[in-house]
């Protein structure tokens, strides 16, 4: 649709994937597994106890996304906007097997010994549903470029332990923001600043049996771009700081990274090639 200098386009995408995974090695047709050390040497200082492990996994993924892209003006300001939403469903089932393997004489090893298939110790199923809505506006006023965006996510993860007839559920939601600003001087220099937040749910339990909180992150970027006249590309130098609250047994973990870089970007056809030093 295009009227009075404004235009809007609607996009819809959907995709699905299904896969099957097994452990490495094998104890029989279709079985994946591995033999590992079961501990230290026995009292005779030559016999090594061993154990077997195997796993198999099946997962299905469905993702649907809808977007509306548009452009319009409010006085001297040009707007490029995107509004959308997406939904993702992931179903995962995993079985873990363990057992004993014949001991090994480290000074006179005997290979080719039959190994019994390990027994099932854990059967787990995980279903993840995540929905999100978002909007972003890229505004241009002369040489000034400003970007602002917001996203809200809802997440629900259901974990079932079939062997113990147990499980746990966790539901989380969060609002994240992103913003940026750039001013393009006539000399070809363009100072810029960018800020972004992230949200990533986690389907794991802590040491005391409570679900981990989602991982939250923040990123700050400050840099300078330079595009010489009659040159189809640009040079850039920036500093990036990332802080993330991760989900480990420790209450928090913060990471700060300062990375001054120099990059040369030269467009080729419809894509860009980047060389970094």
């Amino acid at each position: 649709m295009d009227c009075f200098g404004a235009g809007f386009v609607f996009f819809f995408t959907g995709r699905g994937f299904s896969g099957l995974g097994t452990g490495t090695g094998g104890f029989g047709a279709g079985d994946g597994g591995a033999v590992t050390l079961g501990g230290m040497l026995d009292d005779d200082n030559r016999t090594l106890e061993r154990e077997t492990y195997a796993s198999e996994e099946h997962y299905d993924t469905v993702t649907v996304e809808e977007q509306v892209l548009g452009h319009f003006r409010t006085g001297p300001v040009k707007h490029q906007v995107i509004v959308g939403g997406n939904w993702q469903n992931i179903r995962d089932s995993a079985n873990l097997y363990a057992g004993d393997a014949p001991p090994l004489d480290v000074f006179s090893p005997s290979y080719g010994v039959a190994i019994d298939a390990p027994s099932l110790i854990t059967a787990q199923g995980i279903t993840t549903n995540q929905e999100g809505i978002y909007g972003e506006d890229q505004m241009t006023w002369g040489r000034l470029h400003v970007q602002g965006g917001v996203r809200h996510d809802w997440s629900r993860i259901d974990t079932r332990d079939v062997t113990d007839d147990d499980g746990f559920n966790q539901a989380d939601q969060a609002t994240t923001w992103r913003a940026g600003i750039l001013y393009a001087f006539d000399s070809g220099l363009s100072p810029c600043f960018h800020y972004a937040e992230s949200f990533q749910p986690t389907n794991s339990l802590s040491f005391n049996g409570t679900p981990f909180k989602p991982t939250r992150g923040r990123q700050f970027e400050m840099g300078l771009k330079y595009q010489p006249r009659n040159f189809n590309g640009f040079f850039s130098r920036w500093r990036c700081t990332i802080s993330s609250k991760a989900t480990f047994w420790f209450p928090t973990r913060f990471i700060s990274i300062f990375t001054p870089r120099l990059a040369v970007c030269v467009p080729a056809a419809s894509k860009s090639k980047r060389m970094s030093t």
Side-chain angles (χ1 to χ4, degrees):
M1 177 178 65
D2 195 333
C3 58
F4 303 106
F8 295 90
V9 181
F10 174 77
F11 289 96
F12 174 85
T13 58
R15 56 187 180 271
F17 183 79
S18 180
L20 177 67
T22 61
T24 59
F27 301 106
D31 294 328
V35 178
T36 65
L37 303 181
M40 301 181 65
L41 292 174
D42 288 348
D43 294 338
D44 58 5
N45 289 325
R46 62 180 302 152
T47 303
L48 182 65
E49 302 295 334
R50 299 187 297 170
E51 299 173 346
T52 59
Y53 291 96
S55 64
E56 57 183 0
E57 183 177 8
H58 182 270
Y59 50 91
D60 299 284
T61 302
V62 178
T63 303
V64 176
E65 184 157 8
E66 298 174 332
Q67 294 179 337
V68 176
L69 283 72
H71 63 87
F72 58 90
R73 284 179 174 268
T74 55
V77 181
K78 299 179 182 178
H79 298 264
Q80 289 186 330
V81 299
I82 178 172
V83 178
N86 62 351
W87 170 78
Q88 184 179 54
N89 175 267
I90 303 174
R91 288 167 292 172
D92 184 14
S93 61
N95 297 337
L96 179 63
Y97 304 84
D100 296 325
L104 182 70
D105 189 331
V106 296
F107 296 106
S108 180
S110 178
Y111 300 106
V113 178
I115 300 177
D116 295 333
S119 302
L120 177 68
I121 59 173
T122 300
Q124 191 177 72
I126 301 173
T127 301
T128 302
N129 281 286
Q130 186 169 353
E131 303 91 25
I133 55 175
Y134 54 87
E136 182 174 292
D137 187 2
Q138 297 183 14
M139 297 162 281
T140 302
W141 183 23
R143 296 184 176 275
L144 179 64
H145 304 267
V146 178
Q147 175 194 56
V150 60
R151 178 184 176 99
H152 191 87
D153 285 277
W154 296 268
S155 170
R156 179 177 174 85
I157 303 176
D158 301 323
T159 302
R160 306 174 308 280
D161 191 329
V162 180
T163 52
D164 296 335
D165 193 21
D166 194 8
F168 66 95
N169 303 323
Q170 55 190 114
D172 301 288
Q173 60 177 305
T175 300
T176 51
W177 303 83
R178 60 181 296 180
I181 185 170
L182 180 146
Y183 190 88
F185 287 99
D186 187 58
S187 62
L189 291 173
S190 301
C192 54
F193 174 81
H194 184 261
Y195 170 78
E197 297 177 343
S198 64
F199 165 74
Q200 181 61 51
T202 305
N203 62 325
S204 299
L205 293 177
S206 64
F207 184 74
N208 60 8
T210 59
F212 280 122
K213 293 183 179 180
T215 300
R216 300 294 303 266
R218 294 189 300 172
Q219 176 177 310
F220 299 86
E221 286 186 9
M222 180 174 59
L224 182 67
K225 296 183 179 181
Y226 174 65
Q227 183 173 11
R229 296 183 184 275
N230 303 319
F231 180 70
N232 190 21
F234 61 87
F235 300 88
S236 65
R237 185 178 181 86
W238 65 89
R239 171 168 288 186
C240 176
T241 303
I242 302 174
S243 63
S244 63
K245 186 175 181 180
T247 51
F248 292 94
W249 286 0
F250 306 100
T252 58
R253 185 187 70 171
F254 290 93
I255 305 174
S256 294
I257 304 174
F258 297 92
T259 56
R261 294 184 179 180
L262 176 65
V264 180
C265 303
V266 181
S270 60
K271 297 183 178 180
S272 299
K273 294 182 180 180
R274 171 170 292 183
M275 297 176 293
S276 300
T277 57

